């Protein structure tokens, strides 16, 4: 399973011993300069996290500029993007009427769809995953079906959804739902199946009823797995929404790209791609942060 | 005619795995009195945990059964609290909440909120863990976790306390401390205790009787040794005590002469 994505906290943890050794070496410094040292340490930490990616971005921009500034280049250079689309970059939330709005608004519309679709997928996925993880017969019956369905590409569901709902909004939400539910189901099921026999025995000795067992043992014990599934799921939904919106229209960020392509506004597309990447990254971090807060202490035992 | 408090009545256990079936326990019978401290000792894999799980109701016996106060035991319950070998605290709950979960479940109806809080703290104090109530299991040492496991079991006010190698994973010093705690608790509360152990000294020090099991498969009760040492027992004074030395010797003889462990575990 994809468990490797959790808990990459090593660099944060390393900062602490450094402070401690400093305090030992200088036993008579007043507390003020200790906080000074701590601030300096924090600044160093931030710098080591921020500077290397900044350099990478700068290099990419330079290479891109060189490649696309030549005569006959098919794609816009960064300078062109800035010149033609800086309104999109600097003010994400302008609003001049129905299709002339900032990318921030469009992202929010897309996020809203993702939230509904992914929220449903999370709830249903955790319930189905619990069922599959808990009952051998449910696993035998459902698991093969899930394994087949999860390989269907998101957009292949769209015509079916359009036919069923006869409206683009619920269809887009359905595509999100059906895309992101599989990793939630599968990871939840693995998490439930991996609950140590000891915890089950504790529940048996205490005579916990089914509801108490679900809330007090199952969910917390499987939480690291569940959050891994949710994290993969939110990534997939963000991938799917852009594609779905290209086909269904509306005001989402996906449709904006399609619209820009049809009217040959390549710089706008470049800006939209950056928006999508940054928002997808933030979604991923958000879910992983919630997961880390919610599973404190479970992973380390 | 005096009926025994806990009766293990001709228990046999056969595990079926596919077409293979192995008889792990054969015809185990034992009567245990109220307040007695009984140790079960035997080589690894002979079926001690299986026997304890049958008493706890976690595993059904194939033949025979368990009677507690003349009533048959066939499902697990808080009247037979288990302290598991690897503490099995819930890592997402604090030390306090681990014990409180048991207290709430067992005394949810009888005791008020404040009483349940007091009872939780009382049991943590009993194992000297009151100071770490708000820590998580991952933040306390192995010995401390085991103490909390014992507190959780005691908090259920079990009729019988079942300990499955409770100190197996601990260093000698921590082990000695915990043995003293358990002896003290047993002296104060008078619990009926069944403890599995690998450690001959531990068995002799703590027990009223030591049940020695033969090697599996089809393990039986080989011998039952009564340890006629007066309580309270002091570990240092016992080192030179003749009864202690003799008891120790007979357990060692049983384990290493008559029932030498043949296959490598
Ligand atoms: N669920 C099971 N299915 C099949 N065989 C089992 C099962 N549980 C235990 N056994 C077998 O029963 C035998 C006794 O196991 P048990 O765990 O009771 O031994 P033990 O005396 O507690 O050993 P140890 O001292 O190492 O803890 C072992 O040979 C084991 O392989
Ligand atoms: Mg065992």
């Amino acid at each position: 399973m994809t468990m490797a994505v959790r808990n990459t906290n090593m660099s944060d943890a390393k900062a602490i011993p450094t402070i401690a050794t400093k305090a030992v070496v200088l036993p008579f410094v007043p507390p003020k300069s200790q906080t000074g040292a701590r601030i300096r340490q924090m600044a160093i930490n931030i710098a080591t996290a921020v500077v290397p990616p900044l350099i990478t971005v700068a290099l990419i921009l330079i290479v891109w500029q060189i490649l696309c500034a030549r005569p006959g280049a098919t794609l816009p250079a960064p300078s062109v993007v800035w010149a033609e689309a800086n309104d999109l970059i600097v003010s994400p939330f302008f609003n001049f009427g129905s299709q002339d709005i900032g990318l921030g608004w469009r992202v929010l519309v897309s996020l809203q769809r993702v939230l509904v679709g992914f929220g449903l997928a999370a709830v249903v996925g955790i319930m189905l995953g619990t069922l599959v993880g808990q009952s051998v017969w449910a696993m035998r019956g459902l698991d093969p079906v899930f394994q087949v369905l999860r390989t269907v590409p998101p957009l292949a569901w769209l015509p079916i959804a359009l036919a069923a709902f006869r409206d683009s909004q619920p269809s887009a939400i359905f595509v999100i739902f059906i895309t992101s539910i599989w990793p939630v189901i599968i990871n939840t099921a693995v998490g439930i199946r991996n609950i140590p026999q000891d915890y089950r025995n504790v529940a048996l000795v205490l005579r916990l009823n089914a509801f108490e067992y679900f809330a007090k043992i199952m969910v917390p014990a499987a939480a690291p797995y569940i959050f891994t599934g949710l994290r993969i799921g939110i990534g997939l939904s963000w991938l799917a929404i852009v594609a779905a919106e290209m086909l269904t229209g509306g005001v989402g960020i996906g449709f904006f790209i399609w619209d820009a392509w049809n009217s040959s506004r390549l710089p706008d597309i470049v800006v939209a791609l950056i928006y999508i990447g940054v928002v997808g990254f933030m979604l991923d971090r958000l879910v992983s942060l919630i997961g880390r807060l919610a599973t404190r202490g479970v992973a380390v035992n | 005619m005096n009926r025994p408090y806990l009766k293990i009545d001709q228990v046999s256990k056969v595990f079926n795995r596919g077409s293979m079936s192995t008889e792990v326990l054969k015809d185990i019978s034992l009567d245990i009195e109220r307040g007695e401290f009984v140790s079960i000792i035997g080589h690894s894999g002979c079926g001690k945990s299986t026997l304890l799980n049958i008493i706890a109701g976690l595993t059904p016996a194939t033949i025979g059964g368990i009677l507690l106060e003349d009533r048959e035991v066939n499902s697990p319950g808080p009247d037979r609290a288990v302290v598991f070998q690897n503490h099995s605290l819930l890592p997402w709950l604090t030390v306090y909440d681990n014990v409180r979960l048991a207290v709430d479940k067992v005394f949810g109806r009888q005791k008020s909120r404040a009483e349940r809080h007091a009872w939780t703290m009382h049991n943590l104090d009993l194992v000297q863990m009151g100071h770490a109530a708000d820590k998580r299991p991952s933040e306390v040492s192995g010995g401390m976790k085991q103490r909390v496991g014992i507190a959780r079991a005691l908090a259920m006010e079990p009729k019988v306390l079942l300990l499955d190698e409770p100190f197996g994973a601990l260093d000698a010093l921590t082990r000695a401390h915990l043995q003293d705690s358990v002896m003290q608790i047993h002296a104060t509360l008078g619990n009926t205790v069944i403890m599995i152990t690998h450690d001959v000294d531990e068995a002799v020090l703590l027990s009223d009787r030591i049940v020695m099991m033969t090697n599996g498969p089809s393990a039986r009760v080989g011998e039952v040794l009564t340890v006629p040492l007066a309580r309270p027992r002091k570990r240092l004074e016992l080192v030179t005590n003749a009864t202690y030395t003799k008891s120790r010797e007979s357990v060692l003889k049983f384990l290493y002469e008559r029932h030498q462990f043949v296959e490598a575990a």
Side-chain angles (χ1 to χ4, degrees):
Chain A
M1 262 349 280
T2 39
M3 290 301 299
V5 276
R6 296 193 284 123
N7 286 332
T8 42
N9 241 356
M10 291 306 288
S11 56
D12 300 15
K14 268 184 201 143
I16 296 153
T18 334
I19 298 167
T21 29
K22 269 197 183 125
V24 172
V25 174
L26 305 167
F28 292 113
V29 287
K32 202 180 161 196
S33 80
Q34 260 187 23
T35 53
R38 193 165 300 156
I39 288 169
R40 191 161 358 115
Q41 187 61 46
M42 254 169 66
I44 291 172
N45 285 346
I46 292 171
T48 49
V50 169
V51 172
L54 278 184
I55 294 174
T56 314
V57 170
L59 285 177
I60 290 174
L61 284 176
I62 292 168
V63 172
W64 176 10
Q65 178 72 34
I66 293 170
L67 287 178
C68 293
R70 293 176 309 176
T74 49
L75 295 177
S79 56
V80 180
V81 172
W82 177 254
E84 291 191 16
N86 65 47
D87 56 330
L88 291 178
I89 299 170
V90 294
S91 56
F93 290 104
F94 66 83
N95 189 345
F96 299 135
S98 68
Q99 277 298 340
D100 193 7
I101 57 176
L103 287 183
W105 292 118
R106 294 182 183 274
V107 163
L108 284 180
V109 170
S110 299
L111 274 179
Q112 205 184 344
R113 291 191 180 126
V114 166
L115 226 64
V116 176
F118 176 70
L120 284 173
V123 173
V124 178
I126 290 172
M127 288 192 322
L128 279 177
T130 306
L131 183 68
V132 172
Q134 187 62 13
S135 136
V136 178
W137 281 106
M139 187 189 74
R140 288 185 188 152
L142 293 173
D143 194 58
V145 180
F146 291 165
Q147 296 295 345
V148 170
L149 287 181
R150 82 188 171 91
T151 64
V152 176
L155 285 190
W157 291 102
L158 192 59
I160 303 266
L162 283 169
F165 297 111
R166 299 183 180 285
D167 185 12
S168 64
Q169 177 76 355
S171 303
I173 288 172
F174 174 79
V175 169
I176 299 305
F177 171 82
I178 206 77
T179 309
S180 53
I181 195 168
W182 311 117
V184 181
I185 293 178
I186 290 164
N187 280 279
T188 305
V190 171
I192 301 281
R193 229 172 287 145
N194 281 344
I195 294 176
Q197 186 61 42
D198 289 326
Y199 301 167
R200 297 181 193 270
N201 284 345
V202 169
L204 286 169
V205 168
L206 288 177
R207 294 210 176 118
L208 297 185
N209 60 38
F211 175 73
E212 288 166 326
Y213 181 64
F214 178 77
K216 301 210 161 126
I217 309 279
M218 258 196 213
V219 171
Y225 292 86
I226 294 176
F227 274 100
T228 304
L230 290 178
R231 200 171 158 193
I232 300 170
I234 195 113
L236 290 179
S237 0
W238 194 236
L239 291 181
I241 188 67
V242 173
E245 282 175 349
M246 283 179 142
L247 298 181
T248 58
V251 280
I253 187 91
F255 179 70
F256 174 82
I257 291 181
W258 191 241
D259 194 37
W261 164 246
N262 282 330
S263 46
S264 307
R265 300 193 314 268
L266 281 180
D268 289 9
I269 298 182
V270 172
V271 177
L273 291 189
I274 293 165
Y275 264 85
I276 291 170
V278 170
V279 172
F281 174 77
M282 292 196 306
L283 282 179
D284 183 68
R285 281 303 143 108
L286 184 70
V287 174
S288 112
L289 179 75
I290 296 172
R292 213 168 325 137
L293 290 179
T295 60
R296 256 173 319 166
V298 181
V300 275
N301 185 22
Chain B
M1 178 57 209
N2 197 8
R3 300 293 218 107
Y5 187 61
L6 178 76
K7 188 174 181 63
I8 302 171
D9 197 11
Q10 299 182 333
V11 165
S12 296
K13 178 70 192 177
V14 179
F15 279 114
N16 292 307
R17 195 175 271 158
S19 57
M20 292 263 292
S21 78
T22 36
E23 186 177 50
V24 174
L25 299 173
K26 191 180 170 74
D27 211 9
I28 306 252
S29 287
L30 193 66
D31 292 352
I32 293 170
E33 293 307 321
R34 188 181 198 131
E36 209 177 358
F37 197 121
V38 175
S39 289
I40 300 175
I41 198 164
H43 285 294
S44 189
C46 71
K48 304 180 295 294
S49 296
T50 308
L51 180 59
L52 198 85
N53 284 345
I54 292 173
I55 300 172
L58 291 166
T59 310
T62 311
I63 310 172
I66 308 291
L67 292 169
L68 177 58
E69 290 188 311
D70 284 331
R71 290 177 56 186
E72 189 174 2
V73 160
N74 41 26
S75 69
D79 57 340
R80 282 152 287 121
V82 190
V83 176
F84 298 94
Q85 175 161 8
N86 48 355
H87 68 77
S88 64
L89 299 177
L90 305 176
W92 53 86
L93 297 179
T94 60
V95 161
Y96 175 88
D97 286 331
N98 264 288
V99 180
R100 182 66 187 264
L101 177 67
V103 173
D104 283 349
K105 191 57 198 169
V106 179
F107 299 106
R109 296 217 185 82
Q110 291 115 292
K111 291 190 201 286
S112 74
R113 244 185 129 71
E115 281 171 328
R116 276 177 279 150
H117 169 76
W119 181 242
T120 306
M121 286 315 292
H122 170 76
N123 281 282
L124 282 174
D125 289 335
L126 210 58
V127 294
Q128 294 125 45
M129 281 301 291
H131 62 94
D134 293 325
K135 294 221 165 90
R136 280 171 197 274
S138 55
E139 295 164 343
V140 301
S141 71
M144 289 173 160
K145 281 186 241 201
Q146 211 49 271
R147 284 177 192 274
V148 180
I150 293 170
R152 176 172 66 184
L154 288 173
M156 301 178 208
E157 279 194 333
K159 289 178 180 159
V160 182
L161 186 61
L162 303 171
L163 310 171
D164 190 349
E165 291 183 46
F167 317 128
L170 305 175
D171 63 282
L173 267 177
T174 314
R175 211 179 166 121
H177 273 300
L178 278 183
Q179 288 165 354
D180 290 343
S181 297
V182 166
M183 268 200 286
Q184 206 180 351
I185 289 164
H186 179 239
T188 327
L189 305 178
N191 316 72
T192 310
V193 185
I194 301 177
M195 179 180 76
I196 291 178
T197 180
H198 272 131
D199 183 333
V200 177
D201 294 290
E202 181 171 284
V204 178
L205 178 67
L206 296 177
S207 321
D208 297 313
R209 280 192 295 159
I210 302 174
V211 177
M212 294 171 253
M213 288 177 66
T214 64
N215 288 342
S218 305
R220 302 160 162 275
V221 173
E223 254 177 61
V224 180
L225 177 79
T226 305
V227 184
L229 288 168
R231 291 177 188 272
R233 298 172 181 172
K234 296 256 157 50
R235 104 183 28 247
L236 284 178
E237 293 165 16
L238 286 178
V239 178
T240 51
N241 184 310
T243 320
Y244 178 84
T245 326
K246 239 181 104 203
S247 305
R248 206 173 161 271
E249 197 183 304
S250 42
V251 178
L252 283 171
K253 275 214 170 108
F254 177 90
L255 288 177
Y256 297 102
E257 274 178 18
R258 272 171 286 166
H259 292 276
Q260 210 169 11
F261 192 40
V262 269
E263 55 188 321

Short mmCIF file of all heavy atoms in Angstrom, two decimals, chain B residues 242-265:
data_model
loop_
_atom_site.label_atom_id
_atom_site.label_comp_id
_atom_site.label_asym_id
_atom_site.label_seq_id
_atom_site.Cartn_x
_atom_site.Cartn_y
_atom_site.Cartn_z
N ALA B 242 15.21 -21.74 53.06
CA ALA B 242 15.30 -23.13 52.60
C ALA B 242 14.07 -23.54 51.78
O ALA B 242 14.20 -24.19 50.74
CB ALA B 242 15.47 -24.07 53.78
N THR B 243 12.89 -23.13 52.23
CA THR B 243 11.67 -23.49 51.51
C THR B 243 11.69 -22.90 50.12
O THR B 243 11.33 -23.55 49.13
CB THR B 243 10.43 -22.95 52.26
OG1 THR B 243 10.64 -23.12 53.65
CG2 THR B 243 9.18 -23.65 51.82
N TYR B 244 12.13 -21.63 50.05
CA TYR B 244 12.20 -20.95 48.76
C TYR B 244 13.14 -21.70 47.81
O TYR B 244 12.80 -22.01 46.68
CB TYR B 244 12.70 -19.51 48.96
CG TYR B 244 12.86 -18.72 47.70
CD1 TYR B 244 11.78 -18.07 47.11
CD2 TYR B 244 14.12 -18.60 47.09
CE1 TYR B 244 11.94 -17.34 45.95
CE2 TYR B 244 14.28 -17.88 45.92
CZ TYR B 244 13.19 -17.24 45.36
OH TYR B 244 13.34 -16.52 44.22
N THR B 245 14.33 -22.00 48.33
CA THR B 245 15.32 -22.69 47.50
C THR B 245 14.79 -24.03 47.03
O THR B 245 14.98 -24.41 45.87
CB THR B 245 16.61 -22.91 48.31
OG1 THR B 245 16.78 -21.82 49.19
CG2 THR B 245 17.80 -23.03 47.39
N LYS B 246 14.09 -24.72 47.93
CA LYS B 246 13.58 -26.05 47.56
C LYS B 246 12.49 -25.95 46.50
O LYS B 246 12.47 -26.72 45.53
CB LYS B 246 13.03 -26.76 48.81
CG LYS B 246 13.76 -28.09 49.06
CD LYS B 246 13.20 -28.80 50.26
CE LYS B 246 12.32 -29.97 49.85
NZ LYS B 246 11.36 -30.36 50.87
N SER B 247 11.59 -24.98 46.67
CA SER B 247 10.51 -24.80 45.69
C SER B 247 11.09 -24.50 44.32
O SER B 247 10.70 -25.06 43.30
CB SER B 247 9.60 -23.65 46.10
OG SER B 247 9.11 -23.85 47.39
N ARG B 248 12.07 -23.60 44.35
CA ARG B 248 12.72 -23.18 43.13
C ARG B 248 13.35 -24.38 42.43
O ARG B 248 13.21 -24.56 41.22
CB ARG B 248 13.80 -22.17 43.52
CG ARG B 248 14.14 -21.21 42.46
CD ARG B 248 15.09 -20.16 43.00
NE ARG B 248 15.73 -19.55 41.87
CZ ARG B 248 16.84 -19.99 41.33
NH1 ARG B 248 17.46 -21.02 41.86
NH2 ARG B 248 17.32 -19.39 40.26
N GLU B 249 14.00 -25.20 43.24
CA GLU B 249 14.69 -26.36 42.70
C GLU B 249 13.70 -27.32 42.05
O GLU B 249 13.96 -27.84 40.97
CB GLU B 249 15.43 -27.05 43.84
CG GLU B 249 16.50 -28.01 43.37
CD GLU B 249 17.13 -28.70 44.57
OE1 GLU B 249 17.63 -28.00 45.47
OE2 GLU B 249 17.08 -29.94 44.61
N SER B 250 12.56 -27.54 42.71
CA SER B 250 11.65 -28.53 42.12
C SER B 250 11.04 -28.02 40.81
O SER B 250 10.80 -28.80 39.90
CB SER B 250 10.58 -28.99 43.11
OG SER B 250 10.09 -27.90 43.83
N VAL B 251 10.80 -26.69 40.71
CA VAL B 251 10.29 -26.18 39.44
C VAL B 251 11.36 -26.33 38.35
O VAL B 251 11.09 -26.78 37.23
CB VAL B 251 9.86 -24.70 39.56
CG1 VAL B 251 9.38 -24.18 38.21
CG2 VAL B 251 8.77 -24.55 40.60
N LEU B 252 12.59 -25.96 38.70
CA LEU B 252 13.68 -26.08 37.73
C LEU B 252 13.86 -27.52 37.28
O LEU B 252 14.05 -27.79 36.09
CB LEU B 252 14.98 -25.56 38.33
CG LEU B 252 15.11 -24.04 38.38
CD1 LEU B 252 16.33 -23.63 39.20
CD2 LEU B 252 15.21 -23.46 36.97
N LYS B 253 13.78 -28.43 38.25
CA LYS B 253 13.92 -29.85 37.92
C LYS B 253 12.84 -30.26 36.93
O LYS B 253 13.12 -30.95 35.94
CB LYS B 253 13.82 -30.70 39.19
CG LYS B 253 15.12 -30.83 39.91
CD LYS B 253 15.19 -32.22 40.56
CE LYS B 253 16.58 -32.51 41.10
NZ LYS B 253 16.62 -32.47 42.58
N PHE B 254 11.61 -29.83 37.22
CA PHE B 254 10.51 -30.21 36.33
C PHE B 254 10.79 -29.70 34.92
O PHE B 254 10.66 -30.43 33.95
CB PHE B 254 9.20 -29.62 36.85
CG PHE B 254 8.02 -29.89 35.94
CD1 PHE B 254 7.26 -31.04 36.10
CD2 PHE B 254 7.71 -29.02 34.91
CE1 PHE B 254 6.20 -31.30 35.25
CE2 PHE B 254 6.65 -29.28 34.06
CZ PHE B 254 5.89 -30.42 34.23
N LEU B 255 11.19 -28.42 34.84
CA LEU B 255 11.33 -27.80 33.51
C LEU B 255 12.53 -28.33 32.75
O LEU B 255 12.47 -28.51 31.54
CB LEU B 255 11.43 -26.28 33.64
CG LEU B 255 10.16 -25.54 34.04
CD1 LEU B 255 10.45 -24.07 34.20
CD2 LEU B 255 9.08 -25.75 32.99
N TYR B 256 13.64 -28.56 33.45
CA TYR B 256 14.86 -28.83 32.71
C TYR B 256 15.32 -30.27 32.78
O TYR B 256 16.20 -30.67 32.02
CB TYR B 256 15.97 -27.88 33.18
CG TYR B 256 15.59 -26.45 32.88
CD1 TYR B 256 15.11 -25.62 33.87
CD2 TYR B 256 15.68 -25.96 31.58
CE1 TYR B 256 14.73 -24.32 33.58
CE2 TYR B 256 15.30 -24.68 31.28
CZ TYR B 256 14.82 -23.85 32.29
OH TYR B 256 14.43 -22.59 32.00
N GLU B 257 14.73 -31.09 33.67
CA GLU B 257 15.11 -32.50 33.64
C GLU B 257 14.03 -33.35 33.02
O GLU B 257 14.24 -34.04 32.05
CB GLU B 257 15.41 -32.98 35.07
CG GLU B 257 16.84 -32.70 35.46
CD GLU B 257 17.12 -33.13 36.88
OE1 GLU B 257 16.35 -33.94 37.45
OE2 GLU B 257 18.13 -32.65 37.43
N ARG B 258 12.83 -33.23 33.62
CA ARG B 258 11.80 -34.16 33.15
C ARG B 258 11.12 -33.70 31.87
O ARG B 258 10.63 -34.49 31.10
CB ARG B 258 10.78 -34.38 34.26
CG ARG B 258 11.20 -35.52 35.15
CD ARG B 258 10.32 -35.60 36.34
NE ARG B 258 10.60 -34.51 37.28
CZ ARG B 258 9.80 -34.21 38.28
NH1 ARG B 258 8.67 -34.84 38.43
NH2 ARG B 258 10.12 -33.25 39.12
N HIS B 259 11.06 -32.39 31.68
CA HIS B 259 10.37 -31.93 30.48
C HIS B 259 11.23 -30.95 29.72
O HIS B 259 10.86 -29.82 29.45
CB HIS B 259 9.03 -31.29 30.86
CG HIS B 259 8.09 -32.30 31.39
ND1 HIS B 259 7.31 -33.09 30.58
CD2 HIS B 259 7.85 -32.70 32.65
CE1 HIS B 259 6.61 -33.91 31.33
NE2 HIS B 259 6.92 -33.69 32.59
N GLN B 260 12.40 -31.44 29.41
CA GLN B 260 13.33 -30.62 28.67
C GLN B 260 12.69 -30.16 27.37
O GLN B 260 11.95 -30.91 26.74
CB GLN B 260 14.60 -31.41 28.37
CG GLN B 260 15.79 -30.52 28.29
CD GLN B 260 17.06 -31.33 28.26
OE1 GLN B 260 17.04 -32.53 28.11
NE2 GLN B 260 18.17 -30.65 28.38
N PHE B 261 13.01 -28.94 27.02
CA PHE B 261 12.43 -28.38 25.80
C PHE B 261 13.18 -28.95 24.61
O PHE B 261 14.36 -28.70 24.44
CB PHE B 261 12.56 -26.86 25.85
CG PHE B 261 11.75 -26.19 24.79
CD1 PHE B 261 10.48 -26.66 24.48
CD2 PHE B 261 12.24 -25.09 24.12
CE1 PHE B 261 9.73 -26.04 23.51
CE2 PHE B 261 11.49 -24.46 23.15
CZ PHE B 261 10.23 -24.94 22.86
N VAL B 262 12.50 -29.76 23.82
CA VAL B 262 13.21 -30.48 22.77
C VAL B 262 13.42 -29.66 21.51
O VAL B 262 14.55 -29.38 21.11
CB VAL B 262 12.53 -31.83 22.44
CG1 VAL B 262 13.14 -32.92 23.31
CG2 VAL B 262 11.03 -31.75 22.64
N GLU B 263 12.31 -29.24 20.89
CA GLU B 263 12.50 -28.54 19.61
C GLU B 263 12.80 -27.07 19.86
O GLU B 263 12.35 -26.48 20.82
CB GLU B 263 11.24 -28.68 18.74
CG GLU B 263 10.01 -28.21 19.45
CD GLU B 263 8.76 -28.52 18.66
OE1 GLU B 263 8.80 -28.38 17.44
OE2 GLU B 263 7.76 -28.88 19.28
N ALA B 264 13.58 -26.51 18.98
CA ALA B 264 13.92 -25.10 19.11
C ALA B 264 12.67 -24.26 18.85
O ALA B 264 11.94 -24.51 17.90
CB ALA B 264 15.01 -24.74 18.12
N ALA B 265 12.45 -23.26 19.70
CA ALA B 265 11.24 -22.45 19.58
C ALA B 265 11.33 -21.51 18.40
O ALA B 265 12.28 -20.82 18.22
CB ALA B 265 11.01 -21.66 20.86
#
